[in-house]
Amino acid sequence: MSLKLYLLRHGETEYSRTGGFCGELDPELTPEGMLMAKAFGETYRSLPWTAVYVSPMKRTIATAKPLCDAIAMDMQLRDGLKEIRYGKWEGQTLEFVKQHYEEDYVRWLTEPAWNPPTEGETGVQIASRAMPVISEIEAKCPTGNVLIVSHKATIRIILCSLLGIDVGRYRDRITALAASVSIVKFDVHGPLLEVLGDRYHLDAELRNLPGT
């Protein structure tokens, strides 16, 4: 049996619904976000899980909890799985950032691997803290199913790093909606993307909610 990583983005928050910048901010899940977490736990509880690694934020811990409770497994918290730090953009709308930080915003859009949000974090910096967690999992869990509960940018950067995609293109090449799961199998030829951004553990009403 090979190692399989299930990369789950947290359920809906106020910011994922509105599209506001939220990295270091620590909002709770919305009621709909809690339903998303419960739906994931109910759908995936029957898999034989080896470990659960989670970003130490309220929204990720709450997303992992229904599954961890169902299978009686402790979650392992790792700072490396936290979301991008948005610096001066934290809590702001896209319109506000475009108006007040236009030059930094354009640079970030053009090459986010090396250009951060104002006083924030680059894609390369995120990769440098997130990928050691993946290496730790590979070393400790050479086989089995491992759940990673993280955030939109961080999951996309992990996927780019695993699949040989330029980290600077993470916003253009990979999608990760709220409560979506992507699956990577570590095969004989290296990481193989089996599933990208699946949300069919959610009912139609939850899948069709507006958000980013």
Side-chain angles (χ1 to χ4, degrees), residues 5 15 21 24 38-39 41-42 47 55 62 68 73 77 93 108 121 127 147-148 159-160 168 178 189 201 208 211:
L5 296 183
Y15 290 93
F21 289 97
E24 290 186 293
K38 182 179 178 183
E42 290 175 348
L47 281 183
S55 161
C68 288
M73 181 173 286
L77 304 182
T93 64
W108 181 68
E121 194 174 20
L147 176 65
I148 295 173
L159 287 172
C160 284
H189 299 296
H201 49 279
N208 291 325

Side-chain angles (χ1 to χ4, degrees), residues 2-5 138 161-164 183-194:
S2 302
L3 169 63
K4 276 193 179 185
L5 296 183
E138 289 186 77
S161 299
L162 288 174
L163 301 173
I183 304 172
V184 176
K185 177 182 179 182
F186 284 73
D187 209 345
V188 63
H189 299 296
L192 172 67
L193 181 65
E194 291 193 328

Side-chain angles (χ1 to χ4, degrees), residues 18-19 21 92-101 105:
T18 63
F21 289 97
Q92 303 297 344
T93 64
L94 176 59
E95 290 72 21
F96 181 93
V97 168
K98 286 180 178 179
Q99 180 179 352
H100 292 85
Y101 303 102
Y105 178 70

Side-chain angles (χ1 to χ4, degrees), residues 31-32 43 55 78 84 88 92 99 129-130 141 162 164 171 173 180 194 202:
E32 292 79 9
T43 301
S55 161
R78 295 292 185 273
I84 179 176
K88 293 288 188 180
Q92 303 297 344
Q99 180 179 352
R129 61 169 167 79
C141 310
L162 288 174
R171 302 182 71 255
R173 300 290 183 263
S180 66
E194 291 193 328
L202 307 180

